[in-house]
Amino acid sequence: MSNTQHLHDFTIQVRRDILRMVHAVNSGHPGGSLGCAEFFTVLYQHLLKRNPGFSMDGIGEDVFFLSNGHISPVFYSVLARSGYFPVSELATFRKLNSRLQGHPTTHDGLPGVRMAAGSLGQGLSVAIGAAQAKKLNNDSNLVYVLTGDGELQEGQNWEAIMYASSKKVDNLIATVDLNGQQIDGATKDVLNMGNLKAKFEAFDWDVLEIKEGNTIDAIIAGMTEAKSRTGKGKPVCVLLHTVMGNGVDFMMHTHAWHGKAPNDEQLAVGLAQNSETLGDYSPLTTKGGTENNTAHSKTAPKNNTNKAPYLIIPPSGVRGLNTGSKDTRSGFGAGMTELGQTNENVVALCADLIGSLKFDEFKKNHPERFFQIGIAEANMIGIAAGLTIGGKIPFTGTFANFSTGRVYDQIRQSVAYSDKNVKICASHAGLTLGEDGATHQILEDIGLMKMLPGMTVINTCDYNQTKAATIALADHHGPAYLRFGRPVVPNFTPADEPFVIGEALLLSEGTDVTIVATGHLVWEALLAAEALEAKGVSAEVINIHTIKPLDDEAILKSVAKTGCVVTAEEHNFLGGLGESVARVLALYNPKPQEFVAVNDSFGESGTPEQLMEKYKLNHQAIEEAVTKVIKRK
């Protein structure tokens, strides 16, 4: 039997799998899956260099990313029949507790899947990051990615296309499935993409076309030619002309079967047109699911809430703690400089803000590990996620607003849901960005980030703590958000204090009220405690640098003693630290609480000092809140 005959038989069986999988759950996307059956067969049975077994980093082998994740049936079928997991598991497609989710995910460790897909437009960026990681690792193998033609209507693709050619990512082959159909109709009618070959060439890509994208010999010839063009200074694009629904006559040449399952009669017709060649998978057992499932969980760090106060306040008062005012972003820069020297896997990505993020020294000393992405934050997040697949530890840097609000979907899918070891580092957070005003002053970012499963959220109070947190994050595996500011603030935490993620810091002991503060408000809390002491009020101050996972035990222990709490943060009171503390109290020990935070509004232009005064984010506001909450005890 010729190799081509084997590939032909393999493709027919894949088509049967697709039809049966989608029919069994009455949901899924058969049209595009059928159209790409030949391509996936050639890719996994002929083209890709693959190591035995599966490793997430893919070092020493070619790696593939599926961007248009709705065609998961063809992906799962080919992976299973290529030996990545049992063919019998195909029967669990879209079932409860299955690893074969409607769109591919890394959540339950499914072999062959390196990135979650589903929200369109993200795969190319991830693939670029993986390709750049291969170059850093001196790995000569290639990275492949498949996108849909309608998917190219997503703008992030064009950020990635521009970047890949500018940075000469020439170990990358991006294939576009040109079937001319999308959910609402023909692509030319929904949003005409025009001449894609001319567009890619205008972005300085090497482009070739496979006109017969459902013919195995044509795909082999075209993809072999594409492979031969790599390593020559340009990324390679393959325009693959396919027919949606190929192999099932009533599904072909129409968008109607993009996301529609066949009924019993239609299934019988489709299977009759594709006779069994390699054996069908068995139906789902009565128990359903698969024994290979594993729970996706995070282990919270163990808290040490018996720690003694570490700040020794001098006789001159709290202000004597200040060792010299500095900006927290410079602490981040210092941390990155040290990591550059001590951890060769740390890489930095910047969105046109080197000076603002204090990346200067890292870029100067480690140019090969510094990636200037330009004003393209969505692409930056995707590239960072891809870099982790090659074992790198990416730290992304831009303003907090653009680190979160602009790219929330990318963080959600490519970083958090995919459980990638990306450190999202956000400067100029809160009102103290100052004169730029509300468009740049994000006050919702803590809430956005803490809602993402598995995301660690850190908000530091001064230069020393920001430097220490930056260094600590390199040893912490998993997605993390590090928030810091622009203005010069007192530097008062000890330079040698270890930073323990998830462990609150008791700054001063008290008996009448607990003040729980984060970020720039920690200093203000200390000032408030000093002023309150002069009035006969004993305030306990806790520095919550890690908002998620929150040190519940430390908060509960303190409030059990004082009987009330004030939370203070440079953030909207909705979604921030205060709400997290309120949840803990409501669950375990309800006590009076007052919030010092922005009251459900946007910011405005002004100096940091003026803004903190107007929005009542200072020690005077904390003192007022303490007076109120004590009366409620």
Side-chain angles (χ1 to χ4, degrees), residues 445-452 454-459 479-483 501 544-550:
D445 53 317
I446 291 174
L448 289 172
M449 291 296 103
K450 77 176 187 180
M451 286 190 295
L452 290 172
M455 180 69 71
T456 294
V457 180
I458 295 173
N459 186 38
Y481 178 61
L482 175 60
R483 182 188 204 248
I501 294 172
I544 298 287
H545 52 68
T546 306
I547 297 173
K548 185 184 175 186
L550 188 66

Side-chain angles (χ1 to χ4, degrees), residues 51-63 84 111-114 389:
N51 292 333
F54 174 74
S55 64
M56 181 60 74
D57 59 27
I59 293 174
E61 64 179 336
D62 296 335
V63 297
Y84 283 90
V113 179
R114 292 186 168 91
I389 293 168

